[in-house]
Amino acid sequence: MKSSVTSTARHSASERREGRAGGADDHARLRRRPQLSEEVAAHLRHLIMTADFRPGEYIRLDETAERLGVSVTPVREALLTLRGEGMVSLEPHRGYRVSDLDRIDVDDLFWLQGEIAVKLALRTAEVITSEDIADLEWCNQKFRSTVASGDTAAIIDAEFEFHRRHNVIAAGKKLAWFLFSAARYTPTQLYASDPEWGEVALDSHDRLIAAYRAGDRDGVIAQTRRQFDDGAERLMKHLDQTGIWDNPDS
C-alpha cells in the first residue's frame, strides 16, 4: 500500500513554510527526476494533504519554483494537473487557490483504496504459491530493515515494493493502476516518518502473509483493511492538530 501515516507535531506558520521549501535535499531530488512536473505535483499534493498549504491559500508560481529550485514551467504544469484533480482552482488575476479539504474527502480516499486493495488481495489469495509467499516475506524483511534504519525515502520505497509485488501476484493490472492513482493523495512521507506507523504496517504485513499461508480469507480481508483504516485515522489526527477544521463551517 503506497499509503498509511503520521507525525503529529504541530507546526508554526514559519515552520510550515520552511517545510515547503525543503532545502537542498528537495532541490537535488527534484532535479534528478525525468518527469519534473509530476514530481512537483506529487510534492504539492503532499503539502495540501498535510495542510502545509491550507484551503484558501494561494500557491505562487515564482515563489514555489524558487523554493524547489526549478523553473516556473514544471510548477505551472503541476498546478494544471492539480486543478484537473480538484485540489486547486484558478482564480482570475490572483492565481491558484487551494481547494477545500474536508473529512468526507479523506474518508472517501481511504475507502476507495481499501475497496480496491481488498479485491486485489482476494485475487492474490486464490493464486498465491509458496514461492510468492517467500517473496513477500523477503520484501517485508527488507521493509523491516528500512523501518529500523529510520531512512524515510528507503521506507517509502520498501513498502511500495512489498505492495507492488503483492499486486503482481493478483495479476489485476487495471485495478492496481487505480489503486496507485488513488494512493497519490496519501502523504507517504508523513507516514514513513512515524515509527509507530512502521510497526503497525510491519505487523499487518506479517499477519497478511500468515493469512495467505493458512488460506484464511477473513484474515486477508481484515489485514488489508487494517492498513487503510490505520492510514485514515493517522491522517485525520494530524489534520485535526493542524487546526484545518477549526472553522465550524469546514
Side-chain angles (χ1 to χ4, degrees):
M1 170 183 90
K2 194 96 162 103
S3 49
S4 304
V5 182
T6 160
S7 148
T8 57
R10 301 189 182 195
H11 301 297
S12 67
S14 62
E15 287 172 330
R16 289 194 296 109
R17 293 185 184 281
E18 288 175 6
R20 295 176 193 170
D25 288 345
D26 265 354
H27 294 178
R29 182 173 65 253
L30 289 171
R31 285 173 183 152
R32 286 198 299 269
R33 306 298 190 181
Q35 301 298 325
L36 194 53
S37 66
E38 293 178 10
E39 294 299 317
V40 174
H43 189 72
L44 295 178
R45 278 192 204 97
H46 173 84
L47 296 177
I48 292 171
M49 291 302 300
T50 55
D52 285 303
F53 274 130
R54 303 173 82 86
E57 191 171 351
Y58 286 89
I59 302 177
R60 309 296 180 186
L61 289 173
D62 292 342
E63 181 180 326
T64 303
E66 182 178 356
R67 285 170 174 168
L68 294 179
V70 299
S71 70
V72 169
T73 297
V75 177
R76 181 182 293 109
E77 292 172 350
L79 287 168
L80 286 171
T81 296
L82 297 182
R83 182 188 182 194
E85 296 170 5
M87 299 197 76
V88 300
S89 60
L90 180 59
E91 303 287 335
H93 311 298
R94 301 197 66 181
Y96 288 92
R97 179 180 179 274
V98 178
S99 300
D100 291 340
L101 175 68
D102 59 33
R103 289 179 173 86
I104 293 175
D105 294 326
V106 177
D107 279 338
D108 288 348
L109 283 170
F110 283 94
W111 172 85
L112 177 61
Q113 292 177 70
E115 290 298 303
I116 297 172
V118 166
K119 183 77 170 178
L120 286 168
L122 290 176
R123 287 185 179 176
T124 296
E126 293 174 357
V127 300
I128 197 166
T129 66
S130 57
E131 290 80 7
D132 293 328
I133 288 174
D135 284 346
L136 291 180
E137 288 177 326
W138 183 88
C139 288
N140 202 39
Q141 186 55 44
K142 182 178 179 181
F143 180 46
R144 179 171 280 104
S145 298
T146 64
V147 169
S149 76
D151 184 336
T152 301
I155 290 169
I156 292 171
D157 288 344
E159 203 230 2
F160 178 78
E161 179 58 24
F162 177 89
H163 291 283
R164 187 200 68 79
R165 176 58 190 149
H166 174 275
N167 294 339
V168 166
I169 298 168
K173 292 181 181 179
K174 291 298 183 184
L175 277 181
W177 182 86
F178 281 119
L179 179 57
F180 175 77
S181 297
R184 291 181 300 176
Y185 303 99
T186 55
T188 54
Q189 293 177 39
L190 191 65
Y191 306 158
S193 65
D194 180 359
E196 184 182 82
W197 167 82
E199 292 304 318
V200 170
L202 280 167
D203 182 66
S204 185
H205 292 176
D206 285 336
R207 291 174 184 268
L208 179 63
I209 292 168
Y212 282 134
R213 183 179 288 111
D216 179 2
R217 178 186 173 93
D218 290 340
V220 167
I221 293 172
Q223 293 308 315
T224 301
R225 291 197 186 282
R226 177 188 178 194
Q227 295 178 64
F228 292 96
D229 290 345
D230 180 72
E233 181 180 349
R234 290 176 190 274
L235 181 54
M236 287 288 200
K237 182 177 180 180
H238 170 79
L239 291 174
D240 280 337
Q241 292 184 337
T242 68
I244 190 176
W245 292 316
D246 285 351
N247 185 336
D249 295 329
S250 298

